[in-house]
Amino acid sequence: MAQSATQQAPTAALSSEADIAAEFASVPCDNGARLDATRALFERMGAPADAIRIDRHGDVDNLVVVKPGASADTLVVGAHYDKVAKGCGAIDNWTGVVALAHLYRTLRQFAPEKTLVFVGFGREEHGLVGSRAMTAAIPDDQVARYCAMVNLDSLGLAAPQVADNMSSQAMVAFAEAVAKELQVPFGHARIGGANSDSTPFVKRGIPALTLHGLDSNGLRLLHSPRDQAAKVNPTSVYLGYRLALAMLARLDQAPCTAQRGG
Ligand SMILES: [Zn+2]
């Protein structure tokens, strides 16, 4: 989408904080129900049933929705839909799935330059299984067509932050600049000992970053019985959505090599 198109967009294209908040009235707490719930959410956001596909790689299912662009240059935006056994997985990572689906809802209303690929990753909690499978399946001669990847994992407690240890340096600087421009509060917080679905993209040579919305309290809450919908601060999810949206709008207009320093 052109930036000018974004500015001229009907306000309805943007999801409101209330729209985002409403999603947390019902969070699917059963891991086995999450893939279907992710699909249902995308359908509610306007995805035609035949635009939603499941990419099965061995024992993992990634849910993929493509918004074709003018070119085959590709931007990936993702969030894992699976959860650990404990808790409801509301913060980790239904917040990311909600932001992802609302990004789809907004962006599907534009004609992007680049092809936008929305991915709900499976089995992140078992070692980034879905994102590793997706990146491994990209043929070597296609890697350069992947301009950037934005990953959303565990929003919902504080201002958006970039997990520096899971992100490309250029993408970190870019996220910070966009946040400043939007006047969205923003921080850096590496999450020691943890990983997320941006890392396999970084390792494949694709510029990528993970945005989260955790505070020090949140780190204790993750993977615990206390990860419940009532803990979600919708403002945090909304700000993550707005920051990711602005980043994607700018990446769409930029040369594909922009985040590779070329
Ligand atoms: Zn997670």
Side-chain angles (χ1 to χ4, degrees):
M1 84 304 321
Q3 214 179 314
S4 56
T6 309
Q7 281 154 0
Q8 290 157 14
T11 324
L14 279 179
S15 297
S16 68
E17 190 171 327
D19 294 333
I20 301 260
E23 303 293 353
F24 295 95
S26 62
V27 175
C29 302
D30 169 13
N31 208 13
R34 300 269 275 213
L35 179 58
D36 285 348
T38 304
R39 177 195 285 275
L41 179 56
F42 268 94
E43 287 181 359
R44 201 148 50 68
M45 296 298 114
D50 62 2
I52 304 174
R53 67 170 205 252
I54 304 294
D55 282 359
R56 164 153 282 203
H57 307 269
D59 59 356
V60 68
D61 288 324
N62 291 334
L63 180 140
V64 179
V65 187
V66 177
K67 167 75 181 171
S71 98
D73 286 346
T74 296
L75 298 173
V76 178
V77 52
H80 75 85
Y81 65 81
D82 65 310
K83 61 180 279 289
V84 297
K86 282 184 191 162
C88 178
I91 298 285
D92 184 11
N93 185 31
W94 200 248
T95 56
V97 171
V98 165
L100 175 71
H102 278 267
L103 287 167
Y104 175 78
R105 174 186 176 274
T106 302
L107 292 168
R108 75 176 174 81
Q109 302 179 54
F110 298 97
E113 288 298 320
K114 297 184 176 65
T115 293
L116 308 179
V117 179
F118 299 80
V119 188
F121 291 110
R123 303 193 69 210
E124 187 268 354
E125 302 288 6
H126 287 87
L128 319 180
V129 181
S131 52
R132 282 185 208 276
M134 179 179 172
T135 52
I138 299 172
D140 287 347
D141 64 357
Q142 292 299 308
V143 169
R145 303 305 300 263
Y146 286 76
C147 312
M149 186 271 188
V150 174
N151 181 48
L152 304 158
D153 193 352
S154 302
L155 300 165
L157 294 163
Q161 292 152 74
V162 62
D164 301 66
N165 55 314
M166 310 170 193
S167 306
S168 313
Q169 272 183 16
M171 288 287 282
V172 171
F174 171 63
E176 183 161 20
V178 174
K180 193 174 272 184
E181 208 179 300
L182 287 184
Q183 298 184 300
V184 166
F186 180 79
H188 299 262
R190 44 184 304 115
I191 312 284
N195 222 328
S196 190
D197 293 313
S198 54
T199 294
F201 287 84
V202 174
K203 288 188 173 159
R204 196 81 173 88
I206 296 165
L209 99 169
T210 288
L211 292 177
H212 67 84
L214 295 171
D215 53 17
S216 50
N217 218 11
L219 284 173
R220 289 198 294 276
L221 192 146
L222 289 195
H223 299 188
S224 88
R226 295 182 303 127
D227 183 351
Q228 300 292 335
K231 292 288 197 297
V232 174
N233 172 356
T235 306
S236 167
V237 185
Y238 174 71
L239 291 176
Y241 153 80
R242 290 302 299 265
L243 177 58
L245 179 63
M247 289 176 68
L248 290 164
R250 284 159 182 72
L251 288 166
D252 185 56
Q253 293 295 297
C256 188
T257 51
Q259 298 303 319
R260 286 182 169 91

